[in-house]
Amino acid sequence: MHTKGNSCCCSFEDYKLTTEWLLNQTSHRPKIAVICGSGLGLLADGATNKQTFRYQDIPNFPVSTGAWSGHEGCLVFGTIEDTSCVFMQGHFHLYEGYSLCQVTFPVRIFKLMGVESLLVTNASGGICPDFKVGDIMIIKDHINLPGFAGQHPLCGPNDERFGIRFPCMSDAYSKDLRRLALDVGSELGCSDFMREGVFCMVSGPNFETIAEARMLLILGCDSVGMSTVPEVTVAKHCGLRVLGLSLITNMVSLDYSREEKVNHEEVLQTSKMRAEVLQKLVTALICRYQQQSINTH
Ligand SMILES: *[C@@H]1O[C@H](CO)[C@@H](O)[C@H](O)[C@H]1NC(C)=O
Ligand SMILES: *[C@@H]1O[C@H](CO)[C@@H](O)[C@H](O)[C@H]1NC(C)=O
């Protein structure tokens, strides 16, 4: 696999080879793929019958820049209540220097493996003044700011085997899955800190200036982060259902007189605090997902 500029130069054969390699190595046939955001790698802990592959051992898979610690940089297959799942522990960011083709590579592998739904979790900064640190935001819609500037994962020749040239994005986040998340959240007693909102992607790596944050608020963004949108865009393109959960790890400063500054420590601390709740939520969601598909088929 090679990349040129920001357009995708992975061929269909590259994706196929990686898929075949994985299917040869595991008997899991996942229906749900989960991308675990920062500090949320533990989401896979609830799974049984686990099988783990390091990214570096998977052919064509992008490899970590080494910034990850602990269990990140692994693809974990596992079962949650009869539902076979695959978890990405650690994902790739534009700001690390990966091309968008590399960032979204795993999503197309999931599609070719037979995955139906993609669940993305991530940390983001709260813009909506009603939000609080520790809130879990169900992503209702997004603004692809890098995409506006041509940093778009679907730029370049379109492969019809994945999807059409001009895909619809107005329903990128599945209404059914969003409703399911709200229901499950309320059953688990999370309603007080669950929200729905619009996520905006910026490339990073710096956090927003105050003027930028104010601009995002005016544009209708509820939270802002440095990932997720390319993966969701590629997932929607190839027909996966998507659910996005974003943990509000800090509030973005909209005020010049505010003294606190955002730091990565704060982000990690909050992730840790809510990681357990999110894991319960994701596990319950996956259980209910299975029941729901049985009911509707
Ligand atoms: C998968 O297994 C088949 C049968 O053993 C083999 O022919 C094929 O080369 C394998 N593919 C990969 C990509 O490992
Ligand atoms: C999303 O998660 C990644 C790590 O998985 C993290 O590095 C990034 O900062 C998060 N997004 C935000 C806060 O924009």
Side-chain angles (χ1 to χ4, degrees):
M1 175 171 67
H2 62 292
T3 50
K4 197 169 51 192
N6 65 18
S7 77
C8 184
C9 293
C10 322
S11 67
F12 193 78
E13 281 60 43
D14 292 325
Y15 293 108
K16 241 177 68 186
L17 178 112
T18 306
T19 306
E20 202 182 290
W21 187 89
L22 283 165
L23 293 178
N24 271 0
Q25 311 281 320
T26 179
S27 55
H28 283 284
R29 294 295 177 262
K31 289 288 162 235
I32 301 181
V34 184
I35 302 180
C36 312
S38 36
L40 300 172
L42 296 177
L43 291 176
D45 281 10
T48 55
N49 195 14
K50 272 184 284 204
Q51 199 177 356
T52 300
F53 298 91
R54 294 181 307 170
Y55 292 161
Q56 70 225 56
D57 298 331
I58 306 172
N60 294 334
F61 225 76
V63 178
S64 148
T65 52
W68 290 332
S69 57
H71 48 255
E72 300 213 317
C74 293
L75 197 61
V76 182
F77 291 86
T79 307
I80 291 183
E81 287 228 0
D82 298 339
T83 302
S84 182
C85 304
V86 56
F87 297 85
M88 262 185 90
Q89 292 179 327
H91 58 168
F92 307 97
H93 301 89
L94 201 52
Y95 62 75
E96 293 173 282
Y98 294 105
S99 67
L100 285 171
C101 174
Q102 290 174 303
V103 169
T104 59
F105 184 82
V107 175
R108 287 182 163 172
I109 301 304
F110 299 150
K111 172 67 185 181
L112 293 181
M113 291 189 89
V115 163
E116 299 165 351
S117 296
L118 178 71
L119 208 164
V120 292
T121 62
N122 194 23
S124 62
I127 301 264
C128 171
D130 297 339
F131 283 7
K132 287 193 195 63
V133 168
D135 281 351
I136 295 171
M137 185 185 93
I138 299 171
I139 305 177
K140 185 171 75 180
D141 199 353
H142 71 221
I143 293 180
N144 184 358
L145 220 48
F148 278 18
Q151 284 272 32
H152 194 290
L154 299 174
C155 277
N158 184 57
D159 193 324
E160 295 280 334
R161 285 167 288 190
F162 286 115
I164 56 176
R165 174 78 282 189
F166 300 108
C168 172
M169 278 298 143
S170 63
D171 55 350
Y173 299 87
S174 156
K175 220 178 207 165
D176 291 344
L177 292 181
R178 273 160 47 207
R179 186 165 314 123
L180 184 66
L182 275 174
D183 287 352
V184 170
S186 107
E187 282 161 29
L188 291 178
C190 302
S191 298
D192 285 352
F193 54 88
M194 275 182 84
R195 323 260 172 211
E196 269 202 303
V198 175
F199 176 85
C200 179
M201 180 191 175
V202 293
S203 76
N206 67 278
F207 289 108
E208 299 66 40
T209 67
I210 290 169
E212 286 165 350
R214 289 178 170 188
M215 178 191 84
L216 296 178
L217 178 67
I218 292 168
L219 293 181
C221 308
D222 295 304
S223 79
V224 58
M226 302 169 195
S227 63
T228 306
V229 166
E231 291 94 325
V232 170
T233 303
V234 166
K236 177 64 170 69
H237 178 246
C238 68
L240 295 177
R241 296 209 293 167
V242 175
L243 175 68
L245 298 175
S246 194
L247 178 63
I248 308 299
T249 48
N250 59 280
M251 286 304 290
V252 175
S253 184
L254 291 157
D255 183 350
Y256 287 101
S257 65
R258 224 184 91 165
E259 289 297 320
E260 313 122 67
K261 305 252 180 300
V262 59
N263 63 67
H264 195 61
E265 250 343 271
E266 185 187 1
V267 172
L268 292 179
Q269 279 292 326
T270 312
S271 303
K272 230 176 171 172
M273 176 181 97
R274 280 284 191 242
E276 216 173 299
V277 178
L278 250 164
Q279 190 195 323
K280 276 200 190 119
L281 193 64
V282 168
T283 307
L285 263 165
I286 292 170
C287 300
R288 286 282 296 275
Y289 175 92
Q290 177 79 341
Q291 290 164 10
Q292 205 190 40
S293 4
I294 292 168
N295 292 341
T296 51
H297 290 135

